[in-house]
């Protein structure tokens, strides 16, 4: 039997396993904000290549698309491109920007950053997009822009909105993030207003490699004329919201594969729409004659009674519902004859708390369940009564320690009350 000793390690004077160094891997160019001209504007820039491909999808010149490294940065660029300058000559104090009353958070943040007044306007009951009646009521001499969202992939009814904005002499800024591939009367979402923003997120066709638990990785702004394109590039240079070139390359690849991704989502949406027709308490997305959808997701979400309806949908057609989200979970004991079997001491304390809660905090259920009309007329006649009814629930149902303003600002409370008034 041989007992060969192990070889001496190179660091102890033995022969090295490799005598020559490994080849140096190719390095990525620095995409820091201190040298945007090298990476963003160079002829070989992956960012410029992605922007050109995106603009070409809309039959626009390459410079009409400006990629940004953040959603907030993209909206900053969009407002600048629309002529609303936060870096030079700012709009007059008190200037107003109209937004849909629902699902317009990115617009609201951008408007407040600039120091303008947010004016919420009524939305369509079915599509949740800005309504013409809401825009007409919200327009004023102080209005300097109108914002629209293509909610859930459904383009806004621009045939009614454009004339109103044109008459007022204000631009339309479109959030088309959920509507890549959608169109209105043959016009693609993203070209329905003067400026448009497309965000890259995990649930969208273009993701920039982002994940559901990761950070957002950018967006792109689309404009319709040379002057707006110049302003957009200038805004990106000033705010430094440059997209990472790796993310630009990923999104460019996703852009090349967009048709298959959009058609797969559209097919799923149509199948789901067909299967929920006739289900009680459920309204499918509207399908107008001039609308072509670009669905990103088709899911069921419900709270309170909606939780029961959404759960019923998932149980009835589990193969048709892409995802289910509820924020009210109910259940029954495993053994109705012995409901406390296996219950822990902590759970027993919770049950005792529930008895106290039911005895002292459920009167509203009896009123709303037996005399809802009397309650409704009383609240409609009294803003103070409505405010008291709603704020009391914020106080009771939160962990504010009997001080509702410890958990909620007055603006948050008033915004909720205004939805009902």
């Amino acid at each position: 039997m041989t007992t060969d000793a192990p070889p001496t390690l190179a660091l102890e004077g033995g022969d090295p396993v490799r005598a020559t160094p490994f080849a140096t891997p190719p390095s990525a160019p620095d995409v820091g904000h201190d040298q945007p001209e090298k990476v963003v504007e160079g002829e070989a820039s992956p960012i410029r290549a992605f922007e050109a491909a995106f603009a070409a999808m809309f039959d626009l010149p390459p410079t009409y698309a400006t990629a940004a490294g953040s959603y907030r940065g993209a909206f900053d660029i969009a407002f600048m491109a629309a002529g609303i300058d936060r870096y030079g000559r700012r709009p007059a104090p008190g200037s107003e920007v109209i937004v849909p009353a629902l699902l317009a958070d990115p617009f609201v943040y951008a408007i407040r950053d600039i120091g303008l007044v947010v004016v919420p306007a009524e939305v369509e009951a079915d599509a949740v997009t800005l309504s013409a009646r809401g825009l007409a009521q919200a327009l004023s001499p102080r209005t300097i822009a109108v914002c629209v969202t293509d909610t859930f992939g459904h383009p806004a009814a621009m045939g009614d909105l454009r004339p109103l904005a044109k008459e007022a002499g204000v631009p339309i800024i479109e959030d088309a993030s959920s509507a890549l591939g959608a169109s209105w009367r043959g016009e693609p979402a993203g070209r329905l207003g003067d400026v448009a923003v497309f965000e890259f997120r995990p649930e969208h066709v273009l993701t920039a490699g982002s994940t559901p638990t990761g950070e957002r990785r950018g967006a792109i702004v689309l404009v319709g004329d040379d002057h707006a394109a110049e302003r957009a590039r200038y805004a990106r240079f000033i705010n430094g919201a440059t997209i990472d070139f790796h993310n630009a390359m990923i999104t460019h690849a996703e852009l090349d594969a967009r048709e298959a991704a959009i058609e797969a989502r559209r097919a799923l949406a149509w199948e789901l729409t067909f299967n929920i027709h006739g289900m009680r308490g459920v309204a499918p997305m509207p399908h107008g004659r001039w609308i072509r959808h670009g669905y990103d997701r088709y899911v069921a979400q419900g709270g309170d009674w909606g939780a029961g309806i959404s759960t019923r949908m998932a149980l009835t057609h589990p193969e048709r519902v892409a995802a289910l989200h509820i924020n009210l979970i109910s259940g029954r004991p495993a053994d109705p004859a012995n409901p406390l079997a296996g219950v822990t001491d902590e759970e027993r304390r919770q049950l005792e708390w529930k008895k106290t809660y039911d005895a002292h905090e459920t009167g509203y259920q009896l009123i709303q369940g037996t005399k809802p009309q009397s309650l409704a007329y009383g609240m409609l006649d009294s803003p103070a009564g409505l405010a008291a009814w709603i704020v009391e629930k914020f106080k009771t149902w939160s962990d504010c320690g009997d001080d509702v303003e410890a958990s909620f600002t007055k603006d948050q409370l008033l915004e909720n009350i205004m939805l009902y008034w």
Side-chain angles (χ1 to χ4, degrees), residues 191-341:
R191 294 291 294 120
L192 303 179
D194 298 281
V195 180
V197 176
F198 292 84
E199 184 188 12
F200 311 142
R201 296 185 63 174
E203 65 268 28
H204 294 165
V205 174
L206 303 182
T207 71
S210 55
T211 61
T213 57
E215 61 180 351
R216 300 177 181 181
R217 296 189 175 180
I220 193 164
V221 178
L222 197 68
V223 301
D225 62 72
D226 291 338
H227 182 60
E230 291 177 2
R231 293 180 65 87
R233 294 301 171 102
Y234 175 72
R236 181 174 63 184
F237 178 79
I238 293 297
N239 69 19
T242 304
I243 189 172
D244 182 274
F245 95 99
H246 293 98
N247 296 337
M249 294 174 69
I250 293 171
T251 316
H252 194 166
E254 293 173 328
L255 187 68
D256 292 339
R258 70 186 181 280
E259 292 297 339
I262 292 172
E263 286 306 317
R265 294 176 181 225
R266 188 174 283 137
L268 173 62
W270 276 107
E271 187 175 7
L272 292 170
T273 299
F274 175 80
N275 280 279
I276 66 174
H277 266 297
M279 295 183 68
R280 296 179 62 184
V282 180
M285 199 67 167
H287 293 272
R289 179 182 178 186
W290 304 107
I291 297 293
R292 179 168 173 78
H293 286 275
Y295 290 103
D296 276 333
R297 294 284 179 184
Y298 204 120
V299 302
Q301 191 283 332
D304 209 277
W305 284 106
I309 294 171
S310 299
T311 301
R312 184 65 179 172
M313 289 173 59
L315 291 173
T316 306
H317 299 288
E319 75 285 2
R320 310 298 186 188
V321 178
L324 171 67
H325 178 273
I326 56 176
N327 47 25
L328 178 67
I329 302 174
S330 59
R332 297 179 180 179
D335 182 3
N338 188 14
L340 296 182

Side-chain angles (χ1 to χ4, degrees), residues 171-192:
I172 294 177
I173 303 173
E174 177 189 6
D175 183 353
S177 299
S178 298
L180 186 69
S183 61
W184 173 84
R185 290 182 179 265
E187 294 184 67
R191 294 291 294 120
L192 303 179

Side-chain angles (χ1 to χ4, degrees), residues 69-121:
S70 70
Y71 201 22
R72 294 285 288 272
F75 272 96
D76 184 52
I77 293 170
F79 276 93
M80 184 75 167
I84 300 172
D85 190 348
R86 65 176 297 184
Y87 300 107
R89 185 177 180 181
R90 301 172 66 90
S95 295
E96 299 175 349
V97 179
I98 298 171
V99 303
L102 296 174
L103 304 176
D105 292 9
F107 279 127
V108 173
Y109 296 138
I111 295 166
R112 287 178 173 174
D113 282 347
I114 301 173
L116 306 177
V117 178
V118 178
V119 179

Side-chain angles (χ1 to χ4, degrees), residues 19-156:
T20 58
F22 288 100
T24 302
S27 60
D30 183 359
V31 293
H33 300 152
D34 59 334
Q35 51 174 350
E37 72 284 353
K38 293 183 180 179
V39 177
V40 180
E41 304 299 344
E43 292 183 3
S45 164
I47 298 174
R48 175 58 67 85
F50 165 57
E51 292 172 338
F54 193 88
M57 183 172 64
F58 296 88
D59 296 323
L60 293 173
T63 56
Y64 282 29
T66 302
S70 70
Y71 201 22
R72 294 285 288 272
F75 272 96
D76 184 52
I77 293 170
F79 276 93
M80 184 75 167
I84 300 172
D85 190 348
R86 65 176 297 184
Y87 300 107
R89 185 177 180 181
R90 301 172 66 90
S95 295
E96 299 175 349
V97 179
I98 298 171
V99 303
L102 296 174
L103 304 176
D105 292 9
F107 279 127
V108 173
Y109 296 138
I111 295 166
R112 287 178 173 174
D113 282 347
I114 301 173
L116 306 177
V117 178
V118 178
V119 179
E122 177 188 86
V123 298
E124 301 286 356
D126 51 4
V128 203
T129 55
L130 182 64
S131 71
R133 184 175 72 171
L135 177 56
Q137 293 173 342
L139 282 167
S140 79
R142 296 180 298 279
T143 303
I144 61 172
V146 174
C147 300
V148 301
T149 55
D150 299 329
T151 312
F152 305 130
H154 189 289

